[in-house]
Amino acid sequence: MGAENTTYFGHWNPIVYKLRFHGNGAESGSMDNASLEYDKEYNLPANKFLKTGYVFEGWTDSSGKTYKEKQSVRNLSQTQGDIIDFTAKWRPAEYKIIYNGGDGETEGRMEPVICQYEKSTVLSENLYLKTGYHFKE
């Protein structure tokens, strides 16, 4: 009997890696790790962390790259079993102080003031006038 050729085929499995989410000072909330396969699209989850006075801006990885909430990602690692840390990125919330002269019998106008959480703001001096009255601070 003669020699026969045999052909072997390689079987390839995509690597699997994890994303781990950190709140970066969040006061509440938690996020499950995500398991991803190479060459498959994955939508980052919605943020579940809460930080009083701050607005969530997205996720930052260890290289400093920023990702949006629910952004589609693919092939973030080429290493089997790798763990990629995503850290919540926050910015201070802004709010507006609107001045009101009172009962409608005042004269004058005052511009609103934009403020940031945890940042001191000096309030504007009163510019409203009301005949026969003085402003009490």
Side-chain angles (χ1 to χ4, degrees), residues 5-6 11 33 36 57-60 62 70 75 77 80-81 88 93 95 100 102 117 119 122 126 130:
N5 291 335
T6 304
H11 180 73
N33 292 345
L36 283 70
E57 286 198 314
W59 301 106
T60 304
S62 60
K70 300 181 183 179
N75 299 342
S77 176
Q80 172 65 29
Y95 57 96
N100 183 321
Y117 186 74
K119 186 176 179 185
V122 176
N126 176 47
K130 185 172 181 178

Side-chain angles (χ1 to χ4, degrees), residues 17-73:
Y17 57 97
K18 292 185 190 264
L19 300 184
R20 187 168 50 190
F21 300 93
H22 303 278
N24 189 20
E27 295 147 346
S28 64
S30 64
M31 305 272 303
D32 293 332
N33 292 345
S35 186
L36 283 70
E37 278 188 15
Y38 195 79
D39 273 342
K40 287 195 177 176
E41 295 283 329
Y42 175 77
N43 290 328
L44 294 174
N47 173 47
K48 294 182 182 174
F49 294 113
L50 294 174
K51 186 173 181 180
T52 302
Y54 288 82
V55 175
F56 178 76
E57 286 198 314
W59 301 106
T60 304
D61 66 16
S62 60
S63 73
K65 184 173 179 181
T66 300
Y67 301 83
K68 294 180 182 179
E69 186 174 37
K70 300 181 183 179
Q71 179 177 331
S72 180
V73 295

Side-chain angles (χ1 to χ4, degrees), residues 69-136:
E69 186 174 37
K70 300 181 183 179
Q71 179 177 331
S72 180
V73 295
R74 183 176 185 209
N75 299 342
L76 296 176
S77 176
Q78 296 179 354
T79 305
Q80 172 65 29
D82 201 8
I83 297 174
I84 300 173
D85 290 309
F86 273 57
T87 303
K89 183 177 178 183
W90 304 99
R91 70 171 166 77
E94 290 186 345
Y95 57 96
K96 186 187 293 187
I97 296 176
I98 299 172
Y99 297 99
N100 183 321
D103 59 12
E105 295 179 13
T106 55
E107 296 176 22
R109 175 167 157 53
M110 295 181 65
E111 292 297 320
V113 176
I114 305 296
C115 306
Q116 266 188 356
Y117 186 74
E118 290 190 340
K119 186 176 179 185
S120 296
T121 301
V122 176
L123 298 178
S124 302
E125 183 178 330
N126 176 47
L127 298 178
Y128 290 110
L129 300 171
K130 185 172 181 178
T131 304
Y133 291 83
H134 68 89
F135 181 72
K136 183 177 178 182

